[in-house]
Structure formats: C-alpha cells, structure tokens
C-alpha cells in the first residue's frame, strides 16, 4: 500500500486512493494546466480544491508542499524510481507529466525543445502580462485613476497575441500538427483573457484570427472541457 503520510499536506487533504496522483489546485489559468494535462494523458488522479476564499494556499499544510504558496501542486506516488515525488510550478508539472507518459512533446528532440520554448514564452510573458491586465481591468486596479499601468499591459498583451497569431498562421497547434504542452500551457490564459478578465474588445482579440481559431480547436477537446472545471469542488 502506498504511504503518503510523510507529506503533511495529506493530513489536510487526505488521499482517497494514495496510489493516484494527488492534485492540489483551483480552476485558475495556471491551475487548469495541470488538470488539462492529467485529463489528456489519462493518468489516474485525485483533485483537491485549494480554496482562495479561505487562503488555503497560504496554510501550513499547503506551504509544506509548495513553499511559494501558489497552485497547482501535486504528489505523484509513483515518481522516479518508484518513489513519491512532490512538485509545484505548473510548467514543471507539465514537463514532468509529458516525460512520464511520453506524450505531448511532439516527435523527437527538436520538437521537445520547441514545445519547451513556447512553455517558457507562456510562463515569462503570457501568464504575467495577461494576469496584470486582468488585475487592472477587472479587479482593484480598475479603480486607479492612473490608467497608464492598464495601457502598458494592454499593449503588451496585444504584442504577445500578435506573436502567437503569426506563429499559428497555417498551423493547427504551436508545433504544427502536434498538440503539445505548449498549447496546454496557454489555453487557460487566452480563454480567461476574453471571458473572466472581460478584455476581448480591450485587446482587439478578433484582430488575431489565428489565435481565435486555435482557441476554438483547443476548447473543443473533451479533455480540455473537463480540465477547465477541475477541481470543481473538494473531494475531501
């Protein structure tokens, strides 16, 4: 029987089946990366809701797994050498699950690095910039009299969308015909930009038709539809 008792987080969020991957998350743009990837790979897992409303992500239990206090985080009971492995940071989780399953890294070393570079593009650009835009457009930042911060992030979001649109011209996915972690990393962020952050018109999203078509294809995938809603509620 797999024993995860050495991980303090499991006292707060007990594992119903400790042989499954334990995912601690919330359906945010970063949180859904891990859920979509797990759904796409078909790996057995249990999602546990980390509730921002009660600052679960800052609790001692959660910080014991991720000292940075951010979702998602996970424990794979069958990690390298058959030993449990704890991971945080959504990009690291995508890379790990891709290597574990041999899926969504394209074909060969060149594709692997191309997928990785787009993952870094998302983590260093798309995520931080779209997130700041959301803050200044929808949350507390919208009440600031100085609109220069919003303007900066709108301009940068448009620039990033332009990069993506040019790369996706004539392609199905970022690697061409191969759906990969590059796509998985960006789905939640682009979708959030035009839905939850209410910035479709603000960034002129319809001026980037290749990105729009890519997002439609991604959202049509059953695993993506499931992953965007996980964890909908706590299992425990």
């Amino acid at each position: 029987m797999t024993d995860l008792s050495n991980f303090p987080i499991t006292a707060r969020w007990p594992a119903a089946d400790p042989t499954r991957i334990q995912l601690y998350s919330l359906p945010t743009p970063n949180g859904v990366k891990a859920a979509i990837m797990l759904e796409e790979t078909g790996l057995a897992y249990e999602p546990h809701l980390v509730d921002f409303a009660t600052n679960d992500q800052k609790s001692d239990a959660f910080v014991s797994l991720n000292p940075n206090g951010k979702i998602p985080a996970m424990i794979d009971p069958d990690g390298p050498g058959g030993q449990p492995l704890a991971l945080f940071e959504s990009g690291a989780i995508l890379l790990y699950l891709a290597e574990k399953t041999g899926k969504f890294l394209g074909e060969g070393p060149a594709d692997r690095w191309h997928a990785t570079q787009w993952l870094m593009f998302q983590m260093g650009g798309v995520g931080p910039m779209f997130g700041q835009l959301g803050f200044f457009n929808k949350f507390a930042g919208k009440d600031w009299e100085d609109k220069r911060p919003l303007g900066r992030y709108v301009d940068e979001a448009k620039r990033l969308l332009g990069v993506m649109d040019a790369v996706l011209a004539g392609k199905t996915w970022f690697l061409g015909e191969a759906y990969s972690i590059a796509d998985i990393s960006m789905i939640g962020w682009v979708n959030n930009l035009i839905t939850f952050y209410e910035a479709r018109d603000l960034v002129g999203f319809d001026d980037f038709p290749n990105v729009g078509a890519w997002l439609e294809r991604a959202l049509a995938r059953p695993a993506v539809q499931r992953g965007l809603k996980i964890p909908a509620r706590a299992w425990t």
Side-chain angles (χ1 to χ4, degrees), residues 164-172 205-217:
M164 298 164 68
D165 202 67
V167 169
L168 287 166
K171 292 182 180 179
T172 303
F205 187 76
D206 293 333
D207 294 334
F208 306 100
N210 298 323
V211 178
W214 163 85
L215 182 61
E216 286 186 11
R217 287 190 292 271

Side-chain angles (χ1 to χ4, degrees), residues 99-174:
E99 291 196 355
K100 178 182 177 72
T101 59
K103 296 179 179 179
F104 308 118
L105 284 172
E107 300 292 335
D111 273 1
R112 181 186 187 280
W113 284 110
H114 287 150
T116 301
Q117 76 180 356
W118 285 111
L119 173 61
M120 298 301 108
F121 170 86
Q122 181 276 306
M123 295 182 68
V126 169
M129 297 301 107
F130 288 14
Q132 292 287 3
L133 188 157
F135 173 79
F136 285 104
N137 188 52
K138 180 166 182 175
F139 298 108
K142 74 178 184 300
D143 298 323
W144 292 15
E145 292 184 11
D146 187 348
K147 298 305 178 185
R148 286 175 295 179
L150 174 60
R152 165 174 166 70
Y153 292 116
V154 168
D155 289 345
E156 183 61 5
K158 288 181 177 180
R159 188 190 72 79
L160 292 168
L161 288 167
V163 172
M164 298 164 68
D165 202 67
V167 169
L168 287 166
K171 292 182 180 179
T172 303
W173 308 109
F174 277 88

Side-chain angles (χ1 to χ4, degrees), residues 38-211:
L38 286 162
E39 288 291 325
E40 291 279 15
T41 60
L43 290 167
Y45 75 102
E46 290 179 14
H48 301 278
L49 180 69
V50 179
D51 192 349
F52 287 1
T54 54
N55 283 324
D56 277 348
Q57 76 279 14
K58 303 299 182 184
S59 66
D60 290 344
F62 187 80
V63 171
S64 72
L65 187 63
N66 181 1
N68 195 34
K70 302 287 185 180
I71 56 99
M74 59 168 262
I75 301 171
D76 182 0
D78 183 25
Q83 298 301 309
L85 176 71
L87 278 179
F88 61 89
E89 284 295 334
S90 56
I93 289 172
L94 289 184
L95 284 167
Y96 172 73
L97 295 175
E99 291 196 355
K100 178 182 177 72
T101 59
K103 296 179 179 179
F104 308 118
L105 284 172
E107 300 292 335
D111 273 1
R112 181 186 187 280
W113 284 110
H114 287 150
T116 301
Q117 76 180 356
W118 285 111
L119 173 61
M120 298 301 108
F121 170 86
Q122 181 276 306
M123 295 182 68
V126 169
M129 297 301 107
F130 288 14
Q132 292 287 3
L133 188 157
F135 173 79
F136 285 104
N137 188 52
K138 180 166 182 175
F139 298 108
K142 74 178 184 300
D143 298 323
W144 292 15
E145 292 184 11
D146 187 348
K147 298 305 178 185
R148 286 175 295 179
L150 174 60
R152 165 174 166 70
Y153 292 116
V154 168
D155 289 345
E156 183 61 5
K158 288 181 177 180
R159 188 190 72 79
L160 292 168
L161 288 167
V163 172
M164 298 164 68
D165 202 67
V167 169
L168 287 166
K171 292 182 180 179
T172 303
W173 308 109
F174 277 88
L175 295 189
E177 293 304 309
Y179 176 76
S180 73
I181 59 172
D183 304 287
I184 292 171
S185 73
M186 294 192 225
I187 294 166
W189 281 107
V190 178
N191 188 50
N192 239 43
L193 180 69
I194 62 173
T195 55
F196 187 69
Y197 292 157
E198 301 172 353
R200 186 184 195 108
D201 293 337
L202 189 64
V203 299
F205 187 76
D206 293 333
D207 294 334
F208 306 100
N210 298 323
V211 178

Side-chain angles (χ1 to χ4, degrees), residues 1-24 44-48 61 64-65 73-79 82-87 96 236:
M1 183 71 173
T2 303
D3 183 8
L4 299 180
S5 61
N6 287 334
F7 297 95
I9 195 170
T10 61
R12 169 63 179 81
W13 289 279
D17 182 350
T19 67
R20 293 173 175 251
I21 289 173
Q22 303 297 305
L23 174 66
Y24 308 92
Y45 75 102
E46 290 179 14
H48 301 278
S64 72
L65 187 63
M74 59 168 262
I75 301 171
D76 182 0
D78 183 25
Q83 298 301 309
L85 176 71
L87 278 179
Y96 172 73
T236 55

